[in-house]
Amino acid sequence: MVAFGKKLRENQIQEWQGYYINYKLLKKMVKRHARQIEVGRQDHHHVLKDFSRLLDKQIEKIVLFLLEQQGLLARRLFILGERHDVLLEQTEGLSISELQEAYREVGRDLLRLLYFIEMNAVGLRKILKKIDKRFGYKFTDYYVKTRANHPYSQLRQVFKHVGIGAVVGAVSRNLADLREHHGDFVSIYDQPAFADQDPVIDSIKAAVNRLSNSTDFLHYLSQHALIIREELPDPSEDGDVEQRYHFVSLLLNLANTFLYMVNTYIVVPTADDYSLSLGAAATVCGVVIGSMAVAQVFSSVYFSAWSNRSYLRPLLFSSFVLLVGNILYALAYDLNSLSVLLIGRLFCGLGSARAVNRRYISDCVPLKLRMQASAGFVTASALGMACGPALACLFQTHFKVYMITFNEDTLPGWVMALAWLIYLLCLWLSFREPPHEPKSKTVFHEPNAVVAVLVNDAVEHGSTQQLLLNSRVNSQEGCEDEVEECDDDEEYSEEKRKPVNSIFSAYRLLTPSVKVQLLIYFMLKYAMEILLAESSVITAHYFIWSRNSVAIFLACLGLTVLPVNIVVGSYISNVFEERQVLLASEIMVCIGILLSFHIFIPYSVPQYVCSALVTFVSAEVLEGVNLSLLSRVMSSRLSRGTYNGGLLSTEAGTLARVIADGTITLSGYLGEKRLLNVTLVPSLFICISSIAATCLAYNSLY
């Protein structure tokens, strides 16, 4: 693997060589100014002015060349348009074919221009990152804020792509007009589907999509899934992914996510009564619910490793284990055995294939569809979380078949066992195992057009934070530092770009800021698990709620997930900086926890419901923003392999759930009257600690 400077030299279009960003010059300037500051010959103010002037000249050079090339393309399209008007009156197929090829040639030249923009965007981002790192102050913040919002902004000219969109439209329309359909010429404005039938248009659209953030909500949800993308997509590699892609297999993968979340939460409304029926205390529901999370701590690791070799086999194994686990859960009632009940839940946890679900989307879905697939992953999880408790309230019956009891306690197990059996059959018949890459073929790439996406978003919305955060993508991780610190952009050790091979190696790659974000994730999962797992006990003790009432309450909480993500992804994230949303959400979680305490006044339904809503919704907002940041600042070495970023976040969240469920069970020994306050104290402590850690982390960065 080569560093960016060498990659830039090797991939430059030769006739445009003088118009690329002078990355080598800027890198030398960074080193020179760093040495001068060290010996006290220059101050930061002078450096800021000098680099601003240099970058302005570089961007101006790029912009003027871009405008010139757009003008040349526009002139060629104008001449072709005149020929097109003449040919519309003729029927000579050869001439039309030649004109189509001429339009395709314009399209191919446009692709070269798009790649030119992409390479310059990566170079700009890297230089801004190096300046921030070497001089220790917020140059990127200053530079982007002053340039992006100026009425004569050349930065905006580069990344809004208005002229390019017009060229794409002209090529698409004319190629569609030249394609005969049922004896008539087809317009892309009347039938847009025909615009996508020419391969060159598909290639242009794929390139433009890498440079344009078309759907904020989908972009937000895809980051919420924490499916860490590799940095510069190789077109040939994306072609390999196209061959591995299978739509039905993707749907089955998402169905696994949905069913597992249903399986997790379907027992929550009835776990306390089930425990009582087996002779245990109601607070043992914490162990019943948490035993699934305990097993998931271990299953996440072996499923992540298994997904290196196969996707079908781990999904089949997951479905079978979940089928067995749910049958054991249901049979525990007739066997009158708490042990069988817990073993059944442990089996369910051992069937957690969320690591496989994430990995399949990352490896087997083409880049142009990965954002939608990632959003589908989050949506399936949210719907499963809402449907689980909702289904539980439908099981109001009691009957026996051959000495096997079917009631509100056992029906969740039997229904999920049937669901997993049907899913297992569908998986066996319809899932297509994609071919896996040979280990020797694993390649790592430089940061990609997502840079331009984030720069574009920052320029479009007048917000610098997305670019600020992206400008530090991997800047604090070892792998990127090793690339940037290589003198003269020589080749560096491929070993340092390989995936980590142990959980401890992965942990050592985490910077303090990433550790803070994992602490935040731990905190919010702990607070949510305390709220959800003890809800049936708390509401029965204080309000004498029925199972139906608890199930409806939990389902309503689950249904807030998607609306909250829509609001945050489409509006809040475009108005406020992500670090502001992060800190505000943490404070709101803290307020929700404080409101939940039962101190002096009689505990009421409005107090409980409102405090639960504040806590849950704030935690959802916090989870989305936190994972969005994690997906961009985690080391690229954690984008592949067994011990990847998704596994680390899953382990952090699962460990939080295990500790929370254990806290509920242990607190139950003090009595149900003290359960609420005793379980909220650790939540409050962890929340305050995460707020303090966040403030310290951002003060050190900003």
Side-chain angles (χ1 to χ4, degrees), residues 673-686:
K673 185 177 181 180
R674 295 186 178 90
L675 178 66
L676 178 65
N677 288 346
V678 171
T679 54
L680 288 175
V681 168
S683 295
L684 183 62
F685 174 76
I686 299 172

Side-chain angles (χ1 to χ4, degrees), residues 165-425:
V167 176
V168 174
V171 175
S172 301
R173 184 187 65 80
N174 283 283
L175 282 175
D177 285 348
L178 291 170
R179 184 184 301 110
E180 191 174 47
H181 181 69
H182 297 300
D184 298 318
F185 293 107
V186 181
S187 170
I188 63 170
Y189 303 110
D190 297 328
Q191 300 185 45
F194 286 100
D196 300 337
Q197 291 182 0
D198 198 287
V200 71
I201 299 302
D202 289 337
S203 300
I204 292 172
K205 286 182 64 178
V208 171
N209 285 338
R210 294 202 307 266
L211 296 171
S212 302
N213 189 1
S214 58
T215 310
D216 292 335
F217 175 49
L218 290 181
H219 181 68
Y220 177 79
L221 283 184
S222 68
Q223 291 176 325
H224 196 153
L226 197 60
I227 296 168
I228 300 176
R229 290 178 286 187
E230 291 197 49
E231 298 198 336
L232 187 62
D234 192 321
S236 63
E237 185 173 337
D238 199 47
D240 294 338
V241 176
E242 290 273 7
Q243 295 177 359
R244 295 197 295 269
Y245 175 63
H246 184 232
F247 179 70
V248 175
S249 299
L250 175 61
L251 289 182
L252 288 169
N253 183 64
L254 296 178
N256 183 280
T257 300
F258 171 77
L259 288 175
Y260 184 78
M261 293 302 291
V262 172
N263 212 144
T264 301
Y265 289 99
I266 196 172
V267 304
V268 173
T270 59
D272 58 334
D273 285 340
Y274 205 166
S275 301
L276 287 171
S277 68
L278 298 179
T283 51
V284 174
C285 68
V287 174
V288 174
I289 297 169
S291 56
M292 192 168 176
V294 171
Q296 190 179 344
V297 171
F298 303 99
S299 66
S300 297
V301 177
Y302 69 72
F303 271 118
S304 183
W306 202 349
S307 64
N308 291 327
R309 300 184 299 275
S310 174
Y311 300 102
L312 176 60
R313 287 194 292 273
L315 288 176
L316 288 171
F317 177 77
S318 164
S319 305
F320 177 76
V321 171
L322 282 157
L323 171 63
V324 173
N326 281 287
I327 292 174
L328 290 175
Y329 180 86
L331 288 176
Y333 187 90
D334 293 304
L335 297 174
N336 194 29
S337 173
L338 183 63
S339 299
V340 174
L341 180 72
L342 294 177
I343 291 172
R345 288 293 287 177
L346 284 170
F347 264 74
C348 290
L350 291 173
S352 172
R354 289 175 69 79
V356 181
N357 302 144
R358 282 192 176 104
R359 185 71 176 273
Y360 183 85
I361 293 173
S362 176
D363 292 352
C364 302
V365 176
L367 189 65
K368 61 185 178 182
L369 299 176
R370 200 168 298 161
M371 185 181 295
Q372 292 90 329
S374 302
F377 176 85
V378 175
T379 303
S381 299
L383 290 176
M385 184 179 180
C387 288
L391 284 173
C393 71
L394 301 178
F395 304 144
Q396 302 300 312
T397 185
H398 189 288
F399 61 92
K400 284 193 173 185
V401 178
Y402 297 110
M403 304 299 293
I404 297 177
T405 304
F406 295 87
N407 59 19
E408 56 269 26
D409 293 331
T410 63
L411 275 172
W414 291 120
V415 169
M416 290 311 303
L418 178 62
W420 284 113
L421 178 61
I422 295 172
Y423 175 79
L424 187 61
L425 294 174

